[in-house]
Amino acid sequence: MHPHLHTKTNRGCEEVMSALDECHARGFIHKLFGGCNDIKTQVNKCLRAERLERTAKNRELAKQKREETLAMWREIDENS
């Protein structure tokens, strides 16, 4: 399973997701016999890469915020 495809966080995978939509539009039998499996794998890889990039960015921002918080607490302790 994958998240909802056409969202603002998945803009980098738009081309691959459109190809998957086109493949799915070919019909149930095409999907049943694995006609969309390669494209689905590409979508999964693309979404994973975007998620990893997003989590790395969030982790870095959290570290910075944590450092700022610790600095404020140090300042409070020094001035108490």
Side-chain angles (χ1 to χ4, degrees):
M1 289 295 295
H2 51 72
H4 294 290
L5 293 180
H6 300 283
T7 63
K8 64 180 180 175
T9 59
N10 299 329
R11 296 284 183 220
C13 301
E14 192 71 35
E15 186 176 310
V16 181
M17 291 185 293
S18 294
L20 182 63
D21 288 340
E22 290 172 13
C23 186
H24 284 175
R26 291 183 185 170
F28 175 74
I29 299 297
H30 185 69
K31 290 191 299 184
L32 180 67
F33 289 108
C36 300
N37 288 353
D38 293 336
I39 298 171
K40 173 82 164 88
T41 301
Q42 292 173 5
V43 168
N44 288 342
K45 287 180 181 179
C46 185
L47 291 174
R48 176 177 165 71
E50 286 203 350
R51 180 181 53 82
L52 291 176
E53 182 180 319
R54 198 170 50 250
T55 56
K57 181 180 174 184
N58 288 342
R59 188 176 301 114
E60 188 60 37
L61 290 173
K63 284 180 185 178
Q64 290 174 0
K65 186 164 178 98
R66 178 71 177 152
E67 286 300 319
E68 291 172 6
T69 303
L70 289 175
M72 282 189 251
W73 279 109
R74 279 192 291 268
E75 183 180 329
I76 290 170
D77 287 341
E78 290 171 359
N79 294 334
S80 301

